[in-house]
Amino acid sequence: MNFIESIVSIIQKHGTAFLEATTITVSITAISLIIATVIGLVFAFFKVSNIWILAKLADIYIFIVRGLPLIVLIMFLYYGISSVIVLSDFIAGAVALGIHSGAYLAEIFRGAIQSVDRGQNEAARSLGMTAPLTMSTIILPQAFKRAIPALGNQFIIGLKDSSLVAYIAVTELFSHALTASAENYMPFETYLVVGFYYLGLVLIFTLLLNYVEKRLNTENLYMKKLKKKTHSL
Amino acid sequence: MIKVTNLKKSFGDLEVLKDINVQINKNEVVVVIGPSGSGKSTLLRCLNKLEETTSGTILLNNIDLTNKKVNINKVREDIGMIFQQFNLFPHKTVLENIIIAPMKIRKKSRKDAENAAYILLDKLGLVDKATAYPDSLSGGQKQRIAIARALAMEPKVMLFDEPTSALDPEMVGEVLNVMKQLAHGGMTMVVVTHEMGFAREVGDRVIFMDEGYVIEEADPKQLFSNPQHERTKAFLSKVL
């Protein structure tokens, strides 16, 4: 069997299963990133708050999570948590990935929040806006826009890192590759095919990201409003 | 309307306001002048507590702003502030910039807030910019929008922190004109500025500050033509 035939046979045999596994990869990534975003925002707020104890708490969290290899964190949480409460492999994996990415997102959000000009805060506060209202309507929208490139980076890393939950029996894309290559004795070809699945996912995500970034550009927003106006006239 | 008594303010070891006593009456336009570093901007920023004061009291309509129990957000609703760098919200259109505070804080309906905003924009001749984003405006337009944004809250006092210092010279006039209109309409205003022409023409009273003290305060005609204090004379001889 030559190389091309091997590839074709792998796709024929495992193509559908890989695709199904891809949906698990996508969903575990999506759920972990939602968890990570919440964690990241909370700890970013802690860090920019003037409350010493909260800022320290965030520092400790970031230090521990960033300092541990993800696989150690996954194993630790999987065996640690499941000895207390029974979690499905999927949920345990999503939580572990979320906790991991959350530490990185916290730093990204903190940097973005602090990069917004101090005058924005002063202008909002001088109008009588409360601190939470200023944060949610004035600071965060601007910070988020600036954070998009770094966020996209971190999301892509999160997507790829999701392959590590194969080791706690989540049947996502990489775990299928492990099984398939053990069956067919063609590890090189199998991982090549799976590699393209990951590349495809990242490509779709990158395009999505570019679209979001473009949409948030104020110049484009203006043009769109103009168009809408001329339509309604 | 505003009564500042024995106000002191330090940044660390640096004392920028040393025992300030000032009174601002209703419908009065008070212009604060002085060399840079004299504390005039800090004084202005203390008036709506963008700066925490170190000691002394600031009474606004008999409410002591230095009292920790006072809800400063409530107080700020009635104090408009204009900044040197405009500080418009770049992710919002001109109209959204103006209506956000009336809607979120005064709980006006979008329709009412927009109607009020269009009346303000009309007065400023900027109706056609309602859907534009701040990035596409000139400095003078930005500052006039910033004034409209503050006015939309129907403040009782307006504070101006060097409103024309970041503008190209040809745009200073349009902003000063808006401020003159406001003054003639009876708005109580405190203006920190280097525009001596404005101080002379519009100011009811001029306060000269230097090194954290109020050195001299007087009617503009008197202060500019016959300054009493040596430091005032020295400053005026440089800027006039």
Side-chain angles (χ1 to χ4, degrees):
Chain A
M1 204 158 43
N2 69 25
F3 178 69
I4 302 290
E5 282 168 355
S6 317
I7 297 284
V8 170
S9 82
I10 289 168
I11 293 173
Q12 273 173 345
K13 192 151 174 251
H14 300 289
T16 336
F18 281 173
L19 217 53
E20 280 165 17
T22 304
T23 63
I24 296 187
T25 290
V26 169
S27 46
I28 202 167
T29 304
I31 291 171
S32 74
L33 290 179
I34 291 168
I35 297 170
T37 304
V38 173
I39 292 176
L41 276 175
V42 168
F43 282 104
F45 290 150
F46 281 9
K47 280 204 83 164
V48 297
S49 79
N50 291 325
I51 304 160
W52 175 86
I53 184 86
L54 293 182
K56 260 285 160 276
L57 202 70
D59 281 340
I60 292 169
Y61 176 83
I62 291 166
F63 171 75
I64 291 175
V65 172
R66 249 189 349 194
L68 288 175
L70 177 53
I71 189 70
V72 174
L73 191 69
I74 290 172
M75 291 299 184
F76 178 76
L77 283 172
Y78 182 60
Y79 292 108
I81 295 177
S82 42
S83 65
V84 187
I85 28 168
V86 182
L87 287 179
S88 73
D89 308 336
F90 181 87
I91 296 294
V95 170
L97 291 171
I99 287 176
H100 176 76
S101 296
Y104 292 90
L105 290 187
E107 286 291 48
I108 291 172
F109 285 133
R110 177 188 64 89
I113 289 170
Q114 286 176 338
S115 79
V116 175
D117 184 63
R118 213 169 52 121
Q120 292 291 308
N121 183 54
E122 291 184 349
R125 298 307 301 275
S126 78
L127 288 166
M129 290 191 194
T130 60
L133 183 63
T134 302
M135 182 55 85
S136 63
T137 60
I138 305 301
I139 309 295
L140 271 189
Q142 297 183 56
F144 180 71
K145 192 179 144 192
R146 284 177 208 197
I148 285 178
L151 279 180
N153 230 356
Q154 192 56 44
F155 282 11
I156 287 171
I157 292 171
L159 173 72
K160 294 189 296 180
D161 280 350
S162 72
S163 57
L164 287 172
V165 297
Y167 293 105
I168 56 169
V170 178
T171 54
E172 46 67 75
L173 190 51
F174 181 69
S175 93
H176 268 271
L178 283 173
T179 333
S181 68
E183 275 170 23
N184 62 22
Y185 300 110
M186 293 188 288
F188 173 67
E189 291 85 346
T190 309
Y191 289 121
L192 187 72
V193 171
V194 165
F196 274 103
Y197 275 79
Y198 276 110
L199 281 181
L201 281 179
V202 171
L203 179 67
I204 293 169
F205 185 73
T206 308
L207 293 174
L208 209 70
L209 208 69
N210 289 345
Y211 173 74
V212 172
E213 201 165 351
K214 228 182 232 161
R215 271 205 50 171
L216 286 176
N217 188 318
T218 51
E219 232 163 84
N220 292 335
L221 284 174
Y222 182 51
M223 293 314 287
K224 228 166 116 192
K225 272 188 193 161
L226 273 188
K227 238 185 238 163
K228 231 203 241 155
K229 227 177 167 183
T230 42
H231 267 298
S232 63
L233 280 176
Chain B
M1 183 163 210
I2 301 178
K3 191 167 195 283
V4 178
T5 316
N6 301 120
L7 178 68
K8 291 183 183 176
K9 165 72 186 171
S10 302
F11 293 106
D13 290 338
L14 184 71
E15 195 172 37
V16 280
L17 295 180
K18 305 161 186 165
D19 199 26
I20 301 281
N21 293 283
V22 178
Q23 189 163 347
I24 289 132
N25 303 315
K26 198 162 186 280
N27 304 334
E28 196 181 24
V29 178
V30 174
V31 181
V32 186
I33 60 171
S36 50
S38 59
K40 51 195 194 309
S41 280
T42 307
L43 170 62
L44 197 73
R45 290 162 60 83
C46 284
L47 296 182
N48 68 351
K49 281 200 92 182
L50 281 184
E51 301 290 354
E52 287 287 334
T53 53
T54 306
S55 67
T57 57
I58 300 169
L59 294 180
L60 176 81
N61 290 332
N62 293 321
I63 302 167
D64 183 4
L65 305 191
T66 57
N67 185 338
K68 290 261 186 291
K69 286 188 192 125
V70 169
N71 180 354
I72 191 62
N73 295 319
K74 210 80 208 136
V75 174
R76 284 178 181 146
E77 290 174 16
D78 294 328
I79 308 176
M81 177 128 186
I82 302 303
F83 301 86
Q84 186 177 349
Q85 297 296 339
F86 329 125
N87 295 343
L88 292 178
F89 307 132
H91 59 304
K92 298 196 172 291
T93 63
V94 164
L95 188 65
E96 288 164 347
N97 263 279
I98 299 173
I99 64 174
I100 183 167
M103 281 178 64
K104 299 266 183 192
I105 299 161
R106 299 265 195 236
K107 306 292 176 201
K108 276 195 186 179
S109 71
R110 174 173 286 272
K111 198 164 160 268
D112 288 349
E114 283 190 357
N115 286 340
Y118 273 113
I119 290 171
L120 283 168
L121 285 172
D122 189 42
K123 275 187 196 158
L124 296 167
L126 289 168
V127 171
D128 58 323
K129 298 293 181 193
T131 54
Y133 283 87
D135 280 351
S136 66
L137 303 178
S138 72
Q141 289 170 333
K142 280 182 195 168
Q143 195 60 298
R144 286 187 289 154
I145 299 297
I147 293 173
R149 178 176 69 177
L151 288 177
M153 286 296 282
E154 295 163 22
K156 299 194 175 88
V157 194
M158 287 278 280
L159 311 176
F160 293 82
D161 189 4
E162 303 199 23
T164 57
S165 297
L167 296 176
D168 290 337
E170 75 268 27
M171 290 169 185
V172 170
E174 62 189 69
V175 171
L176 291 181
N177 276 335
V178 173
M179 291 167 63
K180 275 178 210 166
Q181 281 173 27
L182 263 182
H184 291 146
M187 177 63 79
T188 310
M189 294 163 63
V190 186
V191 185
V192 169
T193 188
H194 295 290
E195 292 293 330
M196 297 304 149
F198 177 85
R200 206 189 312 227
E201 190 185 337
V202 185
D204 294 313
R205 195 148 47 93
V206 177
I207 293 176
F208 172 70
M209 283 181 71
D210 194 17
E211 291 178 357
Y213 292 102
V214 170
I215 304 293
E216 189 169 346
E217 59 174 297
D219 177 272
K221 285 183 196 73
Q222 194 194 329
L223 189 122
F224 284 112
S225 58
N226 187 21
Q228 299 298 308
H229 203 284
E230 281 308 319
R231 278 198 261 182
T232 319
K233 282 178 197 164
F235 174 74
L236 289 177
S237 71
K238 275 183 215 150
V239 296
L240 289 180

